[in-house]
Amino acid sequence: MPANQLAVVTGASTGIGLELAKCCAEDGFNLVIAANEPAIQQAAAELRNSGASVEAVEADLATIEGVDKLCAAVGDRPIDALLANAGVGLGNAFLDQDFGRIRRVIDTNITGTLYLIHRAGNEMLRRNAGRILITGSIAGFMPGSFQAVYNGTKAFLDSFSFALREELRDSGITVTCLMPGATETEFFRRADMMDTKVGTEEKDDAHEVAKAGFDAMLRGESDVVTGMKNKLQTTLANVTPNEVLARQHRKMAEPGTAKQ
Ligand SMILES: NC(=O)c1ccc[n+]([C@@H]2O[C@H](COP(=O)([O-])OP(=O)(O)OC[C@H]3O[C@@H](n4cnc5c(N)ncnc54)[C@H](OP(=O)(O)O)[C@@H]3O)[C@@H](O)[C@H]2O)c1
């Protein structure tokens, strides 16, 4: 890889995003990493130990101002890789969810992500070069009863990623969708889902998931679903009626489904 390439990774303070940032650092990218909370500074310190040049930005990427702040920190440096990963979940029945939190899921996962891709994507288009990795989810294949808004946002991102890729087919920009299954991170605790089956069962390793996404991005592939179980789940989801999928989702995401 040419020296001094820049990767921007969002949601890099923990979980899949931190592991994506580690992959970038190991591969020699300079990094701008972003998250909302001060923990992003610790992540930056950890990444610098590997010798990478890392800048941390604290910005609320659910807001236009937060995305503008991240773009201002990047300045006029070309972005060689954008890893749009920041995201948040939300468990429980839709009508029991607080509407402020519902809106935050949409603002973070969809609005902020798209605004950042729009800004960075236009910058890439001027140079006709760049790589975009979007963290979607296999949740996008299933109507997510008791996680309804979250799964909807991921269905949006999965779909959007393929559409954008096609629009950019004849350009020097690649778009890759990383679609993890349930992965061991802070995600389910933050989504208030620790009383559910999916929140408490064994999950995929965040580093392995991130590495598969990073490698697929470097190869310019369209998408990656990690692990046999998740591949099978998405294949079956494509031929299963949505009503049945929503019923199955209840069994793993409804409060009280956690094994005692
Ligand atoms: N874990 C899974 O099972 C799973 C499965 C499929 C897809 N995913 C997706 O993977 C991505 C990463 O999630 P994760 O599992 O690694 O969860 P995580 O450990 O909770 O990490 C989420 C990251 O996103 C950041 N973030 C959330 N809201 C933000 C905001 N408004 N502004 C800036 N940063 C924000 C968090 O930073 P702060 O703490 O600073 O807010 C954190 O760095 C998400 O898009 C998620 O939907 C996860």
Side-chain angles (χ1 to χ4, degrees):
M1 193 187 66
N4 293 324
Q5 293 224 355
L6 179 68
V8 175
V9 187
T10 69
S13 57
T14 56
I16 297 168
L18 177 57
E19 297 301 329
L20 285 170
K22 284 182 191 167
C23 291
C24 292
E26 280 159 18
D27 212 54
F29 280 93
N30 294 327
L31 277 163
V32 175
I33 58 171
N36 194 23
E37 304 289 334
I40 194 66
Q41 306 293 349
Q42 287 146 33
E46 187 184 337
L47 290 161
R48 280 185 205 114
N49 285 338
S50 67
S53 151
V54 187
E55 220 173 301
V57 180
E58 284 175 47
D60 182 358
L61 300 175
T63 67
I64 295 296
E65 299 73 30
V67 175
D68 284 340
K69 183 177 175 188
L70 171 57
C71 292
V74 173
D76 55 12
R77 285 175 287 176
I79 300 171
D80 298 290
L82 170 67
L83 295 87
N85 165 82
V88 63
L90 185 58
N92 291 303
F94 172 71
L95 294 179
D96 293 337
Q97 291 168 343
D98 170 66
F99 194 74
R101 289 188 70 188
I102 289 173
R103 210 177 144 181
R104 220 170 142 71
V105 173
I106 297 167
D107 289 347
T108 309
N109 299 4
I110 300 182
T111 312
T113 302
L114 262 58
Y115 180 47
L116 177 61
I117 293 171
H118 194 262
R119 287 202 58 173
N122 272 300
E123 184 277 321
M124 288 176 179
L125 202 54
R126 282 191 282 279
R127 293 180 293 114
N128 197 31
R131 303 172 191 281
I132 299 173
L133 179 73
I134 298 172
T135 306
S137 174
I138 68 164
F141 286 75
M142 295 159 243
S145 40
F146 300 92
Q147 208 181 2
V149 176
Y150 173 75
N151 282 37
T153 65
K154 290 293 162 173
F156 184 109
L157 284 182
D158 291 351
S159 163
F160 168 79
S161 183
F162 284 99
L164 182 63
R165 177 181 176 83
E166 176 58 26
E167 290 180 13
L168 294 170
R169 185 157 59 112
D170 296 326
S171 77
I173 304 166
T174 59
V175 183
T176 303
C177 190
L178 168 60
M179 297 188 276
T183 306
E184 199 59 61
T185 70
E186 292 295 304
F187 178 87
F188 290 97
R189 189 183 55 72
R190 289 179 176 191
D192 296 335
M193 293 183 70
M194 294 314 288
D195 56 351
T196 67
K197 181 170 182 292
V198 64
T200 48
E201 69 188 3
E202 200 183 330
K203 300 186 194 43
D204 295 338
D205 176 73
H207 178 73
E208 282 173 22
V209 170
K211 182 80 173 82
F214 180 76
D215 289 346
M217 178 190 78
L218 286 191
R219 289 194 295 266
E221 290 171 359
S222 61
D223 60 295
V224 56
V225 175
T226 53
M228 269 319 290
K229 189 177 157 220
N230 298 327
K231 284 192 176 80
L232 187 65
Q233 210 173 333
T234 52
T235 306
L236 288 176
N238 280 327
V239 293
T240 307
N242 277 330
E243 198 177 0
V244 175
L245 292 172
R247 180 72 56 86
Q248 287 171 349
H249 201 276
R250 169 193 283 269
K251 291 179 190 155
M252 62 176 177
E254 185 171 17
T257 49
K259 280 204 184 105
Q260 301 303 321

